[in-house]
Amino acid sequence: MTVPAAVGPIAVVGASLAGLTAVQTLVESDAVTHVTVFGSEPHLPYDRPPLSKEVLKGAWPAERCALELVDDDRVIWRVGTEAAGLDTTDPSVPRIRLRDGAVHDVPGGVVIATGASPRTLAGAELAGVHVLRSLDDAVGLRADLDRRPSHVVIVGGGFIGAEVAAACVQRDLRVTLLEIQDAPFERVLGAEVGEAVIAEHRRRGVDVRTRTAVAALCGTDRVERVELADGTSLPADVVVLGLGVTPNVAWLEDSGITVGDGVECDATLLAAPRVVAAGDVARWPNPRFGEFRRIEHWDNAIRQGRHAALRLLAEHGHGTAEPYATVPWVWSDQYENKLQVVGSTLGFEEAVIAHGSADEQRFVALYRRGRHLVAAAGFNRAKLVTRYRRMLVEPVLWTDALAEAQRAAARTAV
Ligand SMILES: Cc1cc2nc3c(=O)[nH]c(=O)nc-3n(C[C@H](O)[C@H](O)[C@H](O)COP(=O)(O)OP(=O)(O)OC[C@H]3O[C@@H](n4cnc5c(N)ncnc54)[C@H](O)[C@@H]3O)c2cc1C
């Protein structure tokens, strides 16, 4: 009988949610000897969701976002240390190169958890222009909001843009939200649901402008105005860019790993022998939805962090390699409203509000692709969303989903 060998040293690159969860999982195994975590930020892992909510509103100090670390002598945290390259030429000994030139052989393998960075625009270097990804971004933006700017302009009506708008309104600031599509969230949720989600913003005084493209951010040292593609301009002393993110893969150029829109993995999250990826950076074929994509949500970072760590152990004969199948789940808090989306709306062909209504601000919309239900978006309907989340673990016929929703509506009407 062959006894599985000790596993180590292992490198986890990215000291955030997916990386931390991977570490927590790795140290559950007695076979693991050493894990070193390299993180380019100066901070130990912290949670990002409160940055655009409690921290920005001023309800939480930034330190409260710190995540609980693993108390284990086998783990070394090297924050403020950026990985600059990965060499996978020898499949049994991946090699990490750090920005300072140091090289580490890691026969235990590598967990890539380098996340994603915000997209920006020309002019983003002007003072007063912000992105919101890191704790330092949130502290910088909050300090600017504390100075009570007279015009905050938010570019992009997605999750980050909408949450920042809500935080600014709750601070009594004047906000304009610019969205290039017909409605905020249109691409992800459809125009009707997008409008319903953004309605509260309009009611609270946010100047929401759709079909509006930005041409330039202008000012001398500090931003002064946003020029729009239609030739008009808006005064702005704070601008927040909520334009989505791109995966942090530049350091993997020439690594032998396929990168494009993320680190390309197989269904088990393996990117190369003894190299796995997890979280916002990982692109993999999700067998549940037949999609090859990345997911940029908190819950996925945790689940993938765990799965990738187990997959790495399987490379060494500890456990078996399993595909990672998941029903994505994301939430967003805006004012007192909670939006949750379960499943995948990617390429949906039809959206129907099947429970409640947009007017009552309590509803669940269902999404169809082909003959199947692929996602549900709930607005202030947490319990129902949980039901759909369980339901979506298996394929559900669209006709069955609609019939079930009608039965549920009839039961509530009685
Ligand atoms: C403001 C904000 C609010 C959010 N709110 C929600 C929410 O309400 N609901 C929800 O579901 N999701 C939310 N998310 C998304 C969620 O936080 C992310 O999906 C999650 O943080 C992804 O974790 P990750 O570990 O994969 O990547 P990240 O958290 O991006 O961490 C990656 C880390 O790797 C580091 N790194 C990058 N390159 C290198 C390198 N070469 N060497 C070393 N380190 C490197 C980065 O600096 C970073 O610290 C929010 C995100 C943000 C930014």
Side-chain angles (χ1 to χ4, degrees):
M1 195 177 91
T2 49
V3 180
V7 182
I10 294 172
V12 175
V13 186
S16 184
L17 192 58
L20 173 62
T21 316
V23 174
Q24 286 165 337
T25 310
L26 288 169
V27 298
E28 286 171 12
S29 165
D30 292 336
V32 170
T33 58
H34 293 102
V35 182
T36 305
V37 192
F38 299 102
S40 54
E41 291 186 65
H43 309 288
L44 286 164
Y46 59 86
D47 214 15
R48 291 181 204 269
L51 299 180
S52 50
K53 306 173 183 72
E54 291 82 359
V55 172
L56 218 52
K57 281 187 262 178
W60 282 19
E63 305 78 63
R64 194 165 157 189
C65 299
L67 289 166
E68 200 176 319
L69 291 187
V70 183
D71 184 14
D72 194 302
D73 292 344
R74 292 171 291 169
V75 182
I76 299 168
W77 294 92
R78 294 199 49 192
V79 293
T81 308
E82 188 181 346
L86 172 65
D87 184 346
T88 58
T89 317
D90 179 347
S92 56
V93 188
R95 175 174 283 187
I96 295 273
R97 183 169 46 80
L98 303 181
R99 179 66 59 207
D100 65 10
V103 167
H104 294 263
D105 284 346
V106 277
V110 180
V111 180
I112 300 173
T114 45
S117 296
R119 292 201 186 91
T120 64
L121 286 179
E125 66 289 348
L126 290 167
V129 180
H130 298 265
V131 292
L132 179 50
R133 180 75 194 179
S134 68
L135 191 112
D136 294 346
D137 294 338
V139 169
L141 174 56
R142 188 175 64 183
D144 241 2
L145 299 181
D146 286 344
R147 290 187 201 106
R148 306 215 48 79
S150 34
H151 293 97
V152 179
V153 175
I154 298 170
V155 186
F159 289 112
I160 297 287
E163 289 189 358
V164 173
C168 290
V169 167
Q170 283 164 309
R171 285 168 153 255
D172 264 335
L173 297 171
R174 187 161 152 190
V175 184
T176 304
L177 180 80
L178 308 179
E179 168 56 54
I180 199 163
Q181 298 178 335
D182 290 348
F185 299 104
E186 184 184 12
R187 189 178 47 82
V188 190
L189 300 177
E192 187 189 4
V193 174
E195 266 309 324
V197 171
I198 219 72
E200 185 67 12
H201 291 266
R202 293 193 199 272
R203 261 197 294 279
R204 302 241 188 169
V206 177
D207 179 4
V208 180
R209 302 194 187 184
T210 55
R211 288 180 225 108
T212 303
V214 170
L217 306 174
C218 303
T220 313
D221 297 320
R222 192 176 173 92
V223 69
E224 289 159 18
R225 59 184 198 286
V226 176
E227 285 188 357
L228 304 179
D230 66 6
T232 61
S233 71
L234 295 168
D237 32 19
V238 167
V239 171
V240 184
L241 304 177
L243 298 167
V245 294
T246 51
N248 293 324
V249 292
W251 70 284
L252 293 167
E253 226 174 84
D254 305 324
S255 64
I257 285 179
T258 310
V259 292
D261 179 34
V263 173
E264 296 201 355
C265 303
D266 70 9
T268 69
L269 303 182
L270 192 73
R274 300 194 179 183
V275 180
V276 291
D280 285 15
V281 78
R283 184 162 182 258
W284 93 111
N286 182 352
R288 168 61 191 89
F289 290 93
E291 293 168 350
F292 192 33
R293 66 178 296 198
R294 295 182 302 107
I295 302 284
E296 297 163 1
H297 310 327
W298 185 89
D299 173 69
N300 181 65
I302 293 178
R303 288 171 190 262
Q304 272 191 338
R306 180 165 182 79
H307 194 98
L310 294 173
R311 178 64 187 88
L312 189 56
L313 293 174
E315 282 286 272
H316 298 274
H318 298 273
T320 51
E322 304 287 342
Y324 174 72
T326 193
V327 177
W329 170 63
V330 61
W331 83 93
S332 172
D333 297 335
Q334 298 160 34
Y335 313 103
E336 288 74 39
N337 297 321
K338 188 177 277 293
L339 167 67
Q340 295 183 77
V341 186
V342 289
S344 172
T345 60
L346 190 74
F348 73 88
E349 292 156 33
E350 186 181 358
V352 171
I353 294 188
H355 304 265
S357 71
D359 290 346
E360 328 163 54
Q361 290 277 282
R362 276 188 91 237
F363 63 84
V364 173
L366 302 181
Y367 294 82
R368 176 184 69 78
R369 195 170 63 212
R371 295 168 52 232
H372 288 101
L373 173 76
V374 284
F379 201 59
N380 300 322
R381 296 301 295 260
K383 263 198 203 148
L384 255 180
V385 171
T386 307
R387 234 173 65 198
Y388 278 106
R389 192 175 175 191
R390 279 199 295 265
M391 203 193 272
L392 279 162
V393 169
E394 300 290 339
V396 183
L397 281 175
W398 177 247
T399 44
D400 290 351
L402 286 187
E404 173 57 29
Q406 268 165 9
R407 278 195 295 275
R411 278 198 299 274
T412 359
V414 174

